[in-house]
Amino acid sequence: MVSNKTIDAKILSRMFLAGAKNLEAKKEWINELNVFPVPDGDTGTNMTMTIMSAASEVSALDNPDMETLARAISSGSLRGARGNSGVILSQLLRGFTRSVRKSSSLDAPAIAAAMEKAVETAYKAVMKPKEGTILTVAREAAQKAEEIAGEADDLLSFFQTVFAHAEETLARTPEMLPVLKEAGVVDSGGQGLLEVLRGAIDGYLGKEVDYSGFEKTGGTSSVTKISAQAEADIKFGYCTEFIILLDREMPEEEEHRFKEFLTSIGDSIVLVADEEIVKVHVHTNHPGQAIERALTYGALSRMKIDNMREEHQEKLIKDAEKLAKEQAEQEAVRQEEMPEKEAGFIAVSAGQGLTDIFKELGVDYLIEGGQTMNPSTEDMLNAIEKVRAKTIYIFPNNKNIVLAANQARDLTEDKEIIVIPTRTVPQGITAMISYVPEKTPQENEEVMKEAIAKVKTGQITYAVRDTRIDDKEIHEGDIMGIGDQGILAVGRGREEVAKATVEAMMTDEAEVISIYYGADVPEEDAEKLAAAVEEKYPDCEVELSRGGQPIYYYIVSVE
């Protein structure tokens, strides 16, 4: 008979997977709770990709005890964390699992203590916590859990009471954050956490949850339907996934060698190892080679191979294989010959033009991402591994990526990582320009932070819904100029709104105005805008560059 006062690892696993599944089901709705009515609402997506990274690890466990379950949840969510909401969720999960990992079963007081540890861990990850966010909902839920744990007659009523209090707290978030009240929404991150809790209670009650989606998460999903042109661009034809049940623990050096081997035969590699298992994902033309190498480490489980270009000509496969092999050999030689530098640079960029600018400035590694897809902590760690330098500076270039960069820094032990908290691309460009080789890392960090503080940024995009924010009526389809602190201009014409945005950012001390035009803007339109700005502000230097960024017609900066 199952106890109604305690849960074991099996039940906790079921609750976690159900919570993840419920969040996944609600992600688009949560995305729509974005305060700003822009076409990049991503809280639901970020939280889902974070928790599904952990869920795929949990679903691969057979008969887990509390320690193996805790390790899978913590490791999977930390490495899969995307965006601020995802990083905070990963820290909540990390704190919770740290508290419970040595237990065989959990009663209400133990769960309450774990919730308190979760909140404590998450708050430490955020520099300036705000009231009315996911943190507030988590804290209030933990406080209610602690308050009632000692007198809880059964876990169901305990869970339901805690959930009800979290729901009430979420409903009050607009009173805590005026920007939520004005937009007429509750906090999207708090809503995401509530959906995890709601699903977890369903899991506790034993409601049926379809777990098949956990094997198709994040960047490790299997085949999706692709166009003929996309098929022609694929270099490696087989999506290969499996889990190695290790005969013995895999040392870090061997893990590195295994990764190098996989890199030599494919791409899109994900390798996550712990003491007992290794999860592998690789796109390759020779899945058999990957499997043969894996068998030297232990038995295989959950093997899965998909042909990503059925009916595609074999010639393309061979050509791609040859090209990939040549490139891999060249890259291996280049990496071997390249001495370790004193300083290296990683930047997040969205748009080929912006990527080219960063490369010209000397950035070593560009991570594709930004508003529509926030890079994960794992993406940051992979970039750090590829840059041969003693000190590496990371420019997130988006306020929603800073926490993931910080998390990657904290997980790196063999290099000094300095995260410059650039919240926009123009800040990242200014930070890179400000670097002085003769200065120490600490001096450069200070110089860069001072420089980016002087950069004002405006981003021109369109509204996806009607709302009212910053005392401005906004209708679906309107063009908006969004500044560092809020909406600067609203109108119907993108160039007119861009000019109004620049005007709102101008100061007497301004010397340089930079304009980066997006993928959907013709060059002649951008040139006309630059000419009009130059005419209005003759004392300023106006620089026009092709950014190629999606979503945002223009990114403009004043410094």
Side-chain angles (χ1 to χ4, degrees):
M1 181 177 176
V2 177
S3 169
N4 65 355
K5 290 184 178 291
T6 63
I7 57 173
D8 58 13
K10 183 178 180 180
I11 296 174
L12 182 60
S13 174
R14 188 175 72 208
M15 292 174 68
F16 175 74
L17 291 173
K21 194 66 180 176
N22 190 53
L23 176 60
E24 182 194 38
K26 308 288 179 57
K27 68 178 179 182
E28 293 303 332
W29 171 56
I30 294 168
N31 283 341
E32 292 172 6
L33 293 175
N34 196 23
V35 168
F36 291 110
V38 295
D40 68 353
D42 52 10
T43 299
T45 300
N46 284 335
M47 293 184 74
T48 296
M49 294 185 78
T50 298
I51 202 168
M52 292 297 264
S53 175
S56 64
E57 301 301 316
V58 171
S59 63
L61 299 177
D62 293 322
N63 235 2
D65 58 23
M66 201 69 78
E67 186 158 1
T68 56
L69 175 63
R71 190 186 305 123
I73 293 173
S74 180
S75 175
S77 61
L78 279 175
R79 290 181 172 272
R82 294 176 186 268
N84 290 349
S85 55
V87 171
I88 291 171
L89 178 60
S90 74
Q91 291 295 324
L92 288 169
L93 294 172
R94 183 187 185 195
F96 186 95
T97 54
R98 274 187 169 180
S99 180
V100 306
R101 61 186 176 183
K102 297 300 182 183
S103 305
S104 58
S105 64
L106 306 174
D107 57 10
I111 294 169
M115 291 176 69
E116 187 63 38
K117 184 65 176 176
V119 171
E120 178 189 329
T121 305
Y123 265 87
K124 286 179 181 177
V126 181
M127 289 291 289
K128 296 179 180 178
K130 286 184 179 179
E131 287 301 303
T133 66
I134 180 176
L135 288 171
T136 307
V137 176
R139 189 192 68 233
E140 288 285 323
Q143 288 175 349
K144 175 57 71 172
E146 184 181 17
E147 178 187 322
I148 66 171
E151 300 174 357
D153 291 329
D154 64 273
L155 282 182
L156 179 58
S157 62
F158 170 73
F159 290 145
Q160 289 174 335
T161 302
V162 170
F163 178 83
H165 186 70
E167 196 170 33
E168 290 169 9
T169 302
L170 178 67
R172 288 189 285 109
T173 55
E175 302 303 321
M176 305 177 207
L177 267 182
V179 68
L180 294 175
K181 187 173 185 178
E182 192 173 18
V185 295
V186 295
D187 179 68
S188 54
Q191 186 71 62
L193 179 60
L194 203 69
E195 297 313 318
V196 174
L197 297 177
R198 192 193 310 274
I201 294 175
D202 286 345
Y204 176 75
L205 291 171
K207 293 184 180 179
E208 287 296 319
V209 179
D210 178 11
Y211 298 143
S212 60
F214 295 138
E215 296 180 3
K216 302 178 180 180
T217 62
T220 61
S221 63
S222 55
V223 182
T224 55
K225 187 171 177 61
I226 52 178
S227 67
Q229 178 59 46
E231 285 181 356
D233 292 337
I234 292 175
K235 294 177 183 177
F236 302 104
Y238 295 94
C239 176
T240 305
E241 296 177 273
F242 51 81
I243 289 173
I244 308 172
L245 307 174
L246 294 173
D247 292 336
R248 60 192 177 281
E249 188 172 342
M250 180 182 287
E252 254 183 63
E253 301 77 23
E254 187 57 40
E255 183 182 337
H256 183 66
R257 282 194 290 271
F258 188 26
K259 278 185 181 178
E260 286 182 340
F261 170 75
L262 293 175
T263 302
S264 73
I265 64 168
D267 67 4
S268 298
I269 293 157
V270 176
L271 191 153
V272 180
D274 64 16
E275 292 90 342
E276 298 173 357
I277 66 167
V278 178
K279 182 174 175 60
V280 177
H281 169 278
V282 60
H283 290 177
T284 178
N285 291 323
H286 296 288
Q289 292 182 14
I291 289 170
E292 285 176 15
R293 180 65 175 262
L295 283 168
T296 65
Y297 302 119
L300 302 188
S301 173
R302 291 183 172 265
M303 298 170 64
K304 190 164 173 287
I305 300 173
D306 287 310
N307 186 339
M308 296 190 294
R309 50 175 173 223
E310 290 173 355
E311 301 178 4
H312 198 54
Q313 298 140 333
E314 186 64 27
K315 181 180 179 299
L316 284 179
I317 298 177
K318 291 179 179 177
D319 289 346
E321 179 188 355
K322 181 181 176 183
L323 176 62
K325 185 176 180 181
E326 289 173 354
Q327 290 176 339
E329 289 173 352
Q330 292 170 2
E331 178 65 17
V333 170
R334 190 180 72 82
Q335 289 289 344
E336 196 67 34
E337 293 176 347
M338 186 181 296
E340 188 175 55
K341 303 190 300 178
E342 287 298 320
F345 305 91
I346 296 170
V348 178
S349 174
Q352 188 57 51
L354 297 175
T355 294
D356 291 343
I357 290 170
F358 278 116
K359 285 181 178 177
E360 288 169 8
L361 291 173
V363 171
D364 298 282
Y365 194 94
L366 276 299
I367 302 175
E368 185 179 348
Q371 293 294 75
T372 52
M373 177 56 71
N374 298 150
S376 67
T377 298
E378 181 77 18
D379 293 330
M380 296 281 181
L381 290 170
N382 290 337
I384 289 169
E385 186 179 335
K386 287 181 172 65
V387 177
R388 288 179 55 80
K390 295 176 183 176
T391 301
I392 298 175
Y393 299 86
I394 299 180
F395 309 126
N397 299 335
N398 186 301
K399 65 181 181 181
N400 209 29
I401 303 175
V402 174
L403 283 183
N406 288 341
Q407 193 151 277
R409 175 199 62 203
D410 295 342
L411 291 171
T412 301
E413 297 177 353
D414 59 339
K415 300 174 183 176
E416 181 180 9
I417 308 299
I418 297 177
V419 177
I420 306 299
T422 52
R423 295 160 64 89
T424 64
V425 164
Q427 283 190 345
I429 292 171
T430 295
M432 190 64 209
I433 292 172
S434 303
Y435 174 74
V436 180
E438 292 75 24
K439 293 184 180 293
T440 67
Q442 291 70 32
E443 289 171 338
N444 269 307
E445 180 179 8
E446 188 175 337
V447 167
M448 289 178 180
K449 286 181 176 178
E450 288 177 0
I452 66 175
K454 298 174 183 175
V455 179
K456 293 183 177 181
T457 305
Q459 301 182 91
I460 316 304
T461 188
Y462 60 94
V464 294
R465 68 170 187 273
D466 295 348
T467 189
R468 178 178 178 82
I469 192 167
D470 293 340
D471 292 326
K472 292 180 174 64
E473 288 287 345
I474 299 171
H475 301 284
E476 183 178 347
D478 280 353
I479 306 298
M480 303 178 296
I482 304 174
D484 297 321
Q485 305 300 328
I487 306 290
L488 299 179
V490 178
R492 301 302 295 181
R494 63 191 181 197
E495 278 72 35
E496 292 307 311
V497 171
K499 286 186 276 190
T501 300
V502 171
E503 183 176 2
M505 294 191 297
M506 285 300 292
T507 64
D508 293 338
E509 295 78 28
E511 297 177 349
V512 181
I513 301 171
S514 300
I515 303 172
Y516 306 91
Y517 61 95
D520 298 326
V521 177
E523 185 177 3
E524 55 268 30
D525 290 357
E527 288 175 345
K528 288 178 184 177
L529 171 63
V533 171
E534 199 165 18
E535 183 178 353
K536 185 165 185 178
Y537 306 104
D539 295 334
C540 287
E541 181 182 350
V542 178
E543 300 176 348
L544 176 66
S545 303
R546 181 182 70 88
Q549 70 274 4
I551 304 295
Y552 291 89
Y553 299 122
Y554 293 102
I555 298 174
V556 295
S557 67
V558 173
E559 52 186 308

